Amino acid sequence: MGSPRTRPDATTVVAAGLLAVIGANLLPLVGVLAWGWDLTSLLIVYWVEALATVLLAALKALFAERGSPSVPGGIEPLHELRAKRGGWQPRDGWPPIYPRNVPFALSILGFWVVTVCPLTVLYLSWVSPTAALSPSLGLSIVALLVAQASSFVSEYVGDERYRDVSAREVLRTPGLLGLVIVTLGWLGTAGRAGGLVVLAGAVLAKTGVSASRFYADRVGRPILHLGERFGGGAAFSEPPPELDVPEAAVIARVAADRRSVLLGSVGAIGFGFVHRLGLCTLAAFGFALLVRDPPLIAVTGLAVLAVVAARVLSYYLRYGTVEYRRRGDALVAYDRLLDAPQWIVSVEPTMDVSVRNAIADRLLGTGTLVVSGVDSVDRDEVRLGPVRDVDRAVERLDLPVARTDRPDRDPAAIAACAGLSLLFLAVPAGLFLTPRVETSTAVGVSVAFGPFFLLLVGVLVWAALSRI
């Protein structure tokens, strides 16, 4: 009888897979050196591979179950969703999509849109592709996309690897692929020999990134500390930030006023442009207005509208779908759409509750309360509202709030803010009214400095409205 077959241990499997990944990534270099493969065609293959990897990484990040610590000194797009708990299941048998992971997914996509894509367009306009894609390269691209998609379905979803990773873990190495593609983008600017030298370095760099990503996916930690943009040397994940609802029965409910939430989102739109992707979108729209290109104006205008719509929907998801429930001695903010509690605080006679001076509340007669000094959640204060009738909400939820009056109107502050707003608006207006300044110059200055003036005017108008 033969000896029983032994099953290879996990270390052997990982080592064999790692060697396979390294060999597959080095094969294109052999093809270029020995078989004369076309550099531009190879660049396209690499670009498609990196794009597919980044898109799948952004998709994987949405399903990551573990929590992600904040990036030190970083502000992700739709950052307010980081505090959202719970998820939405797109289909039966699939994991839920967690809104708290959306800012991380947008960060990696924004990096590509702002950095890699413009440089790629610049490269293609500078170095005209001389060789068409061969059938073999076309088949390679299709096979690559199929392999990426099947790996996502079979391994990430099928083997439930999403349970053991966070969004930051998923995105820590794919971001480096963009840097590799940027390096590859300048291959065509050199001669054949120079291009081969640069290509060799780029292929080796990409091999290292791919090997590190494979090792991190299988073992749970990177070979080297790559991906500092998404890690910074700190912890990449933390336990899922879900809360346990108290067992006490619900004795009172108060829903958020949706009209007031939507009106309040208008003031939050400006913050949607305070990051790399938003600023570049505004700059592109301003450039389109400056060159007066209708197709470019339409495309960039739609991009600006997309940012605005995303900001409004994000703000509404943060506050508009929440219901405030009293359970025994606890006050629970429960999201009805995601079916998950958002925060839980104990109702005590000494709890610090104040009235938020919100513009939407002044215009619509609604009210918002702020509970400070909270220890049971991951932030210092939580927000209750806006609700349609704040006095009735306090009574129904039995909160220790003595006064719910907002601050009185301040005519002096309103007049000062209005005067300063007119002063800032007079600067660009004077450029168009002065005959010494040409219209083209006035337009250029307005496009260049207009966003800064609008930001100042917006802050002043917001301050004035909050005192009405």
Side-chain angles (χ1 to χ4, degrees), residues 2 4 32 71-72 79 86 103 132 165 176 201-202 205 211 226 232 255 269 340 355 373 380 399 428 452:
V32 172
V71 178
H79 182 75
V165 297
L176 292 179
L226 300 174
I269 290 175
V355 179
D380 296 332
L399 301 179
F452 300 100

Side-chain angles (χ1 to χ4, degrees), residues 63-305:
F63 295 100
E65 187 171 302
R66 291 183 61 82
S68 298
S70 300
V71 178
I75 299 179
E76 303 88 4
L78 307 183
H79 182 75
E80 65 276 3
L81 291 181
R82 296 277 288 108
K84 202 68 179 177
R85 291 176 167 88
W88 170 73
Q89 191 172 18
R91 56 176 296 184
D92 294 336
W94 278 56
I97 293 176
Y98 297 98
R100 64 173 180 264
N101 294 333
V102 171
F104 289 100
L106 290 179
S107 293
I108 188 67
L109 295 178
F111 171 76
W112 261 72
V113 171
V114 172
T115 306
V116 180
C117 291
L119 290 177
T120 302
V121 173
L122 178 62
Y123 165 78
L124 293 178
S125 61
W126 189 2
V127 181
S128 178
T130 57
L133 283 176
S134 64
S136 60
L137 287 177
L139 291 176
S140 299
I141 292 177
V142 174
L144 172 66
L145 297 178
V146 172
Q148 294 266 26
S150 51
S151 173
F152 168 76
V153 175
S154 62
E155 295 184 8
Y156 191 75
V157 176
D159 296 341
E160 298 186 347
R161 290 185 177 176
Y162 58 85
R163 295 186 180 275
D164 303 321
V165 297
S166 67
R168 286 184 64 186
E169 282 183 308
V170 172
L171 298 174
R172 58 185 172 183
T173 51
L176 292 179
L177 290 176
L179 299 178
V180 175
I181 291 301
V182 170
T183 304
L184 278 168
W186 303 104
L187 286 175
T189 62
R192 173 76 178 178
L196 292 177
V197 172
V198 178
L199 178 64
V203 170
L204 292 176
K206 179 181 176 299
T207 302
V209 173
S210 300
S212 177
R213 187 177 73 249
F214 177 86
Y215 186 85
D217 290 342
R218 269 65 179 178
V219 178
R221 62 180 185 276
I223 300 176
L224 300 174
H225 291 290
L226 300 174
E228 293 296 328
R229 168 64 179 87
F230 298 97
F236 287 103
S237 69
E238 57 190 13
E242 306 302 337
L243 300 174
D244 296 326
V245 179
E247 296 181 358
V250 178
I251 58 178
R253 304 170 185 260
V254 175
D257 187 82
R258 299 180 178 180
R259 300 173 308 146
S260 185
V261 173
L262 288 175
L263 183 59
S265 67
V266 175
I269 290 175
F271 293 98
F273 297 94
V274 187
H275 51 78
R276 181 174 54 236
L277 180 59
L279 290 176
C280 289
T281 303
L282 280 181
F285 183 62
F287 176 77
L289 293 177
L290 183 62
V291 299
R292 301 180 182 180
D293 186 351
L296 188 59
I297 292 176
V299 172
T300 55
L302 289 176
V304 171
L305 291 178

Side-chain angles (χ1 to χ4, degrees), residues 280-465:
C280 289
T281 303
L282 280 181
F285 183 62
F287 176 77
L289 293 177
L290 183 62
V291 299
R292 301 180 182 180
D293 186 351
L296 188 59
I297 292 176
V299 172
T300 55
L302 289 176
V304 171
L305 291 178
V307 174
V308 172
R311 183 66 184 178
V312 171
L313 291 176
S314 173
Y315 190 89
Y316 184 81
L317 180 60
R318 177 75 186 276
Y319 300 108
T321 59
V322 176
E323 182 180 72
Y324 305 95
R325 302 176 180 179
R326 180 68 184 265
R327 287 179 172 266
D329 295 332
L331 179 63
V332 181
Y334 198 87
D335 193 291
R336 295 171 295 178
L337 178 64
L338 301 178
D339 194 23
Q342 302 304 300
W343 51 260
I344 303 173
V345 298
S346 299
V347 180
E348 302 174 352
T350 58
M351 66 186 306
D352 185 6
V353 183
S354 59
V355 179
R356 184 171 182 265
N357 189 23
I359 296 176
D361 290 339
R362 286 184 175 273
L363 297 178
L364 298 179
T366 54
T368 304
L369 300 177
V370 176
V371 183
S372 304
V374 178
D375 298 327
S376 59
V377 294
D378 54 357
R379 46 194 183 275
D380 296 332
E381 62 181 30
V382 293
R383 167 176 158 178
L384 190 157
V387 294
R388 185 178 297 274
D389 190 335
V390 66
D391 293 315
R392 185 179 179 186
V394 168
E395 181 181 356
R396 294 188 63 180
L397 298 174
D398 193 17
L399 301 179
V401 179
R403 295 186 58 184
T404 58
D405 299 332
R406 287 184 291 271
D408 296 331
R409 179 178 301 178
D410 191 345
I414 296 174
C417 292
L420 289 174
S421 299
L422 293 176
L423 180 62
F424 282 116
L425 290 176
V427 174
L431 293 176
F432 289 93
L433 297 177
T434 302
R436 297 180 180 179
V437 180
E438 296 183 359
T439 303
S440 58
T441 303
V443 172
V445 173
S446 300
V447 170
F449 298 98
F452 300 100
F453 283 100
L454 291 177
L455 178 61
L456 292 173
V457 172
V459 172
L460 291 172
V461 172
W462 185 268
L465 289 176

Side-chain angles (χ1 to χ4, degrees), residues 13-40:
V13 173
V14 172
L18 193 60
L19 290 175
V21 170
I22 294 175
N25 280 271
L26 290 178
L27 183 60
L29 182 58
V30 177
V32 172
L33 293 173
W35 304 326
W37 287 6
D38 181 76
L39 298 181
T40 303

